[in-house]
Amino acid sequence: MGRLNRARDLRPMAPQPIRKTLGKTLPPKARRLTAVTVDALRGQSRSEFVLGSLRDAIWEGRLAPGERIAEEEIARSLGVSRTPVREALQRLQERGLLTIGAGRSLVVAELTKQQVLELYAMREILEGSAARFAAQHANEAEIDILHRLLDEFGKHRGNPRLLISLNRRFHGAVCEAAHNRYLIQTLDGMHDALALLHSNTFRVPNRSTESDAEHRRIVLAIERRDPDEAERAARDHVRQAQRTRFAMLAG
């Protein structure tokens, strides 16, 4: 549950151009990994800090599918020793975000088309369930958070990189409002796989506006305490996201 709780506090980095980096290692500056600070270590170990930094970099496209991950470079960029980096890389490998590439090096994992289909099928079921439970259990403070996130989407419609972070926070907030620890754990693992989707659907013309309307439909159903409509709205949202994703792949 901790990882989804932290989703609210994510501070998106300034937009960076996404580069095609299959089989290559980008220099530290290109990745824009932020070195450790005293504040960053409050409430977490160095290993957890490295894990979160790399996970965010994969989510935001700063570490691309197929890109090699160099332990020494990561340690230097983040200002930590190689021990916490090694621990974080092992955990990322266990979670399926990293895999073994050529020469036994670690690389960011890539999803096949079949894996993407399976991922969206599960996402529809789980996020539909999260919206249903949220309509039944969300408190007023949690509904207020959802409305504030809707407002943030409208303010940043022209910033696809920032919208990725807001989207994570929104879906994390719906999941927390469901008040089901097992659903939260399951969705948290699935969100790791979503990080491996290498393209940003918010870059598709009109997708940001469509997504805003879909999110608003979900929130209004939750606010009305209508579990059937909340689940239906969430499932429709995921299906539309899948259609956009495959249209991008086909293009």
Side-chain angles (χ1 to χ4, degrees):
M1 183 168 180
R3 279 183 291 272
L4 278 173
N5 284 336
R6 286 197 296 274
R8 276 185 199 156
D9 301 321
L10 290 172
R11 291 177 174 84
M13 300 185 68
Q16 301 297 322
I18 297 175
R19 295 173 53 183
K20 194 75 174 177
T21 55
L22 185 62
K24 298 181 180 179
T25 303
L26 292 180
K29 286 184 181 179
R31 292 203 188 95
R32 298 300 297 262
L33 296 176
T34 304
V36 67
T37 64
V38 173
D39 287 342
L41 289 178
R42 284 179 182 160
Q44 65 177 341
S45 67
R46 279 178 167 75
S47 175
E48 289 169 333
F49 166 76
V50 176
L51 177 69
S53 297
L54 293 177
R55 205 170 172 227
D56 287 348
I58 293 171
W59 258 106
E60 295 167 10
R62 289 178 282 126
L63 291 174
E67 183 178 341
R68 286 199 305 268
I69 303 299
E71 182 181 300
E72 186 175 352
E73 261 188 38
I74 297 296
R76 187 167 57 250
S77 298
L78 294 177
V80 298
S81 70
R82 294 177 68 169
T83 299
V85 174
R86 195 173 300 120
E87 293 170 352
L89 294 181
Q90 182 177 351
R91 290 172 66 184
L92 287 169
Q93 188 177 359
E94 291 169 351
R95 296 177 71 95
L97 286 170
L98 301 180
T99 188
I100 302 296
R104 303 296 298 170
S105 62
L106 279 177
V107 300
V108 180
E110 299 180 82
L111 297 180
T112 65
K113 184 175 181 179
Q114 181 59 36
Q115 286 174 312
V116 175
L117 280 169
E118 293 171 8
L119 176 59
Y120 272 101
M122 285 306 300
R123 184 184 176 194
E124 181 182 335
I125 293 169
L126 293 173
E127 295 201 1
S129 297
R132 168 175 284 277
F133 293 153
Q136 296 169 327
H137 305 299
N139 58 44
E140 292 305 314
E142 289 164 335
I143 293 173
D144 182 61
I145 287 169
L146 291 172
H147 275 292
R148 284 193 277 120
L149 286 169
L150 289 179
D151 292 340
E152 288 297 308
F153 278 112
K155 293 175 185 176
H156 303 287
R157 195 166 288 158
N159 188 338
R161 180 69 60 81
L162 181 54
L163 290 175
I164 293 176
S165 178
L166 285 171
N167 195 55
R168 291 170 64 190
R169 291 169 60 191
F170 176 82
H171 288 284
V174 172
C175 192
E176 288 177 18
H179 294 276
N180 186 307
R181 70 193 71 187
Y182 300 107
L183 180 64
I184 288 171
Q185 291 169 4
T186 305
L187 272 168
D188 190 47
M190 187 194 69
H191 287 161
D192 280 343
L194 287 172
L196 299 174
L197 296 172
H198 63 279
S199 52
N200 181 354
T201 58
F202 288 115
R203 296 183 187 277
V204 174
N206 300 320
R207 180 56 195 151
S208 174
T209 303
E210 293 170 354
S211 182
D212 284 358
E214 293 159 14
H215 285 155
R216 189 168 299 279
R217 180 184 165 199
I218 294 168
V219 173
L220 291 177
I222 291 172
E223 188 173 35
R224 291 196 307 268
R225 308 295 180 183
D226 186 341
D228 290 339
E229 170 60 11
E231 179 173 3
R232 187 161 46 244
R235 281 175 170 263
D236 287 347
H237 172 58
V238 173
R239 281 195 292 267
Q240 184 56 48
Q242 179 182 340
R243 283 192 288 270
T244 304
R245 173 77 54 190
F246 278 96
M248 291 174 67
L249 294 175

